[in-house]
Structure formats: structure tokens, C-alpha cells
Amino acid sequence: AGVNLAAQPSVEIEDTNGGVDGITNARFQEVGGIDATVDVIDYREGGDVLGMRKFPGQTKHSNLTLKRGYTDDAQLFKWFEDVMTGRTEQIRRNISVVQLDMAGAEVLRWNLLQAFPVKYTAPAFNAKGNEFSIEEVVVAYERIKCERS
């Protein structure tokens, strides 16, 4: 049976350096890019004329994209600004994307490790339209782990 999930996942961004500047319980309209692909290494053994042997190689991840309505919370831009200006000694964070059910209970948690922002898009402001202003942050990460409740 399927689980009735809440529309917006909760996103927690923790400071991996023991600091207190983590972003906790942020809500995003859209979260995408949680994936992993393993490269295939072809290897031909000397006496095997029937074909190549295949072995798993390096794992690669897409970048995580976080989109939300503009708020006065400047922590995401501050994090990106630290990377952009070369203050890279303490930029890595662990990110948890938490899927909740309609009652607010945790169903699924994706932990993305050693993440840092690689792109920031400020909201577009259009006085003629009635769309929400959307802030977007793209984050690179090294590994993923999945925890099911």
C-alpha cells in the first residue's frame, strides 16, 4: 500500500564543522537531483574471445537543486557567497532531504554528504506578474545514504 506523502519535503542543512550556522527545517517547493550512477569498466582478459568482462567503476552524482519561494532568510546566499569569495575551509555541509507523510511523520530521509553550493539564482522580480519569486540553489555532494522509517 502506498503512503500519502506531504507535498513539500523538509530540508536540513547541517554544519559539518561543529558550528551552529546550519539551516534547519527549510521548506522547498522543489528538490531534485538525488541520484547515483556507477561507471562501467570494460576489461578484456587475454584468452577470452567471447567478449569483455564488466566491472563497477567510479560512482557519480548529479547536483542537488533546491527551489523555494523567496524569503528574508539569507543563509543560503551566505553559504554560496562563502564559496564564491574563496572562504572554502568550512563550506561543506551534510544535507538531509526528509519526506514526511500527511500527519508530519518522517517516512524517508536522504542524507547527502559533504555538500557545497555551486550555483545560486536570485528570484526574478516582475511587477506585472503575479507569480511567486523563486530562489534556487544548486549543490554538489559526494555521497548519498537512504534511511527509511
Side-chain angles (χ1 to χ4, degrees):
V3 176
N4 196 2
L5 300 176
Q8 292 181 326
S10 173
V11 176
E12 301 166 2
I13 303 173
E14 86 176 62
D15 183 348
T16 59
N17 303 297
V20 294
D21 63 343
I23 301 163
T24 59
N25 204 22
R27 300 288 178 161
F28 291 86
Q29 281 90 347
E30 188 176 330
V31 177
I34 301 174
D35 66 24
T37 303
V38 176
D39 288 339
V40 176
I41 299 171
D42 292 327
Y43 179 75
R44 183 167 182 253
E45 291 189 276
D48 190 353
V49 294
L50 297 178
M52 304 289 276
R53 303 262 333 248
K54 297 191 180 282
F55 295 95
Q58 192 172 32
T59 302
K60 296 179 182 176
H61 303 283
S62 295
N63 290 336
L64 180 73
T65 301
L66 303 169
K67 293 181 182 181
R68 69 176 180 183
Y70 180 73
T71 70
D72 61 354
D73 180 357
Q75 288 181 316
L76 286 176
F77 181 76
K78 170 76 171 83
W79 187 26
F80 176 73
E81 187 177 44
D82 286 345
V83 175
M84 185 175 57
T85 58
R87 293 186 296 255
T88 59
E89 65 277 353
Q90 295 183 346
I91 56 154
R92 294 187 183 266
R93 307 280 189 271
N94 291 334
I95 298 176
S96 294
V97 178
V98 182
Q99 183 65 64
L100 307 173
D101 64 15
M102 294 304 285
E106 184 173 316
V107 175
L108 179 68
R109 175 181 291 262
W110 289 100
N111 295 313
L112 292 80
L113 308 178
Q114 297 296 311
F116 60 93
V118 295
K119 180 180 178 184
Y120 177 86
T121 303
F125 300 102
N126 182 354
K128 295 179 183 178
N130 59 357
E131 299 89 25
F132 287 108
S133 298
I134 302 296
E135 175 183 41
E136 178 180 315
V137 176
V138 178
V139 179
Y141 58 95
E142 292 182 359
R143 285 187 305 284
I144 59 174
K145 293 182 181 180
C146 180
E147 299 174 12
R148 296 183 188 274
S149 297

